[in-house]
Amino acid sequence: MNGRSFVWLEITGRCQLACTHCYADSGAHGTNGTMTDDDWEAAIESAVGLGTSMVQFIGGEPTLHPALPGLIDHALRSGLEVEIFSNLVHVSAPLWEVFAQSRVRLATSYYSDRADQHETITRRRGSYARTKANIAEAVRRSIPIRVGVIDVQDRQGVGQARTELTELGVDEVRVDRLRQVGRGVRDQHPDPAQLCGHCGHDKIAISADGSVWPCVFSRWLPVGNVRQQALAEIVRGPRMSTTVTALDRHFGSRREPGEHDLCDPLCGPNCSPACNPSCWPTGAGPCGPKGGCQPNYD
């Protein structure tokens, strides 16, 4: 498939947290990279030209990038759905207004119903209470939000966290395993074993320096750079083709547990929270009453 219906835009490596498992190795040392605001707007326009229907702003912590409100507006004016993957440690009043717009949704990570466990992972005191409060605020404002509970360490309150989020009013909560990429490396090196098997199919990731990857977890497999080459040329180019063919050969017909295979062409892998919103089977057909995926179907 030459088009890409979903694109990650990793606009910064800066983050207030220093999570022990961060696949992007983000933190206070991170930067906004070499992509300018104009570069990002051009990338968004190129994504639209490829048939993209949704972009996700990710980091690092995307709310730390001063251009985020303008880039969200540019994406919306281009006809795209927008998701912001944030740690929700801090959301300014103006940003809440941006997030409350139609066709905008939020995603975040959560680790436990206990502050000590949550903050052992985020390595930031107070992050549990702040993130929890802002999840509740998003629900109060009726802003669509999904939460990924990442199973990082032994005896972590994953089940309790899921229950707590449901009680907060979050409708979409998923659990994901640790991906051994970036600071998440434990006993393995980054390799296809950390991936879901769908990389490069109908989705692409663009980093703060313009690098393009098949997905945000396949960072060791760059296929081009949008500051040097048009995005369409990259996704249709030989390097992308060779990389995806090699990944397909590695995975064969395997899929990760819990995936809705009929929904894969639209929804992609359920490697919450970084991937595009998962299928919500709420009616007849593979995903919903119109055979699409929320929030992409009416």
Side-chain angles (χ1 to χ4, degrees):
M1 181 181 291
N2 288 330
R4 294 296 183 273
S5 70
F6 179 84
V7 178
W8 291 277
L9 304 176
E10 189 176 287
I11 60 176
T12 184
R14 296 176 60 212
C15 189
Q16 312 101 316
L17 308 182
C19 298
T20 58
H21 64 293
C22 181
Y23 64 86
D25 193 22
S26 301
H29 62 279
T31 72
N32 291 340
T34 54
M35 288 281 282
T36 66
D37 297 355
D38 288 343
D39 288 335
W40 282 119
E41 290 189 359
I44 290 169
E45 291 163 9
S46 295
V48 171
L50 289 172
T52 298
S53 57
M54 174 179 277
V55 292
Q56 183 192 76
F57 291 96
I58 196 169
E61 173 49 42
T63 62
L64 295 179
H65 197 297
L68 178 63
L71 293 176
I72 291 173
D73 182 65
H74 189 79
L76 292 174
R77 285 188 284 106
S78 299
L80 296 170
E81 302 277 347
V82 171
E83 182 171 77
I84 302 96
F85 180 78
S86 168
N87 57 39
L88 294 182
V89 167
H90 174 72
V91 181
S92 66
L95 272 180
W96 277 123
E97 298 306 313
V98 173
F99 296 163
Q101 296 178 93
S102 175
R103 294 187 290 121
V104 176
R105 57 183 288 132
L106 294 171
T108 193
S109 294
Y110 210 68
Y111 304 101
S112 174
D113 65 331
R114 289 174 42 186
D116 60 336
Q117 289 185 342
H118 185 99
E119 292 165 12
T120 294
I121 294 168
T122 65
R123 296 195 289 195
R124 171 73 182 271
R125 183 173 296 180
S127 60
Y128 167 77
R130 292 185 179 203
T131 296
K132 180 180 177 180
N134 283 324
I135 289 172
E137 180 65 11
V139 172
R140 187 188 73 80
R141 290 174 177 260
S142 299
I143 298 172
I145 183 169
R146 65 191 180 97
V147 182
V149 180
I150 315 302
D151 192 353
V152 175
Q153 59 188 26
D154 294 336
R155 293 181 294 279
Q156 181 184 330
V158 170
Q160 295 91 328
R162 191 168 191 169
T163 298
E164 182 173 65
L165 290 163
T166 300
E167 291 173 349
L168 285 174
V170 180
D171 293 325
E172 187 177 3
V173 182
R174 287 187 172 272
V175 176
D176 189 30
R177 65 181 174 87
L178 171 71
R179 306 280 170 163
Q180 296 203 37
V181 180
R183 285 200 300 272
V185 171
R186 299 292 187 268
D187 57 359
Q188 301 178 37
H189 294 292
D191 63 24
Q194 309 311 314
L195 309 177
C196 71
H198 296 266
C199 291
H201 290 288
D202 201 33
K203 55 190 65 67
I204 203 78
I206 304 173
S207 77
D209 69 359
S211 293
V212 177
W213 308 306
C215 89
V216 290
F217 292 119
S218 59
R219 312 171 78 82
W220 70 95
L221 296 172
V223 294
N225 190 297
V226 295
R227 301 186 74 234
Q228 302 166 0
Q229 189 179 11
L231 184 60
E233 294 178 2
I234 294 172
V235 301
R236 295 167 182 159
R239 192 169 182 183
M240 183 70 173
S241 177
T242 299
T243 300
V244 172
T245 298
L247 289 171
D248 286 348
R249 187 178 301 115
H250 172 84
F251 285 100
S253 61
R254 283 183 292 164
R255 294 291 184 271
E256 291 196 340
E259 292 185 315
H260 304 280
D261 290 339
L262 288 173
C263 304
D264 287 344
L266 286 174
C267 296
N270 292 331
C271 51
S272 174
C275 290
N276 49 312
S278 56
C279 295
W280 296 0
T282 56
C287 294
K290 295 188 179 180
C293 299
Q294 288 202 23
N296 298 321
Y297 70 81
D298 298 317

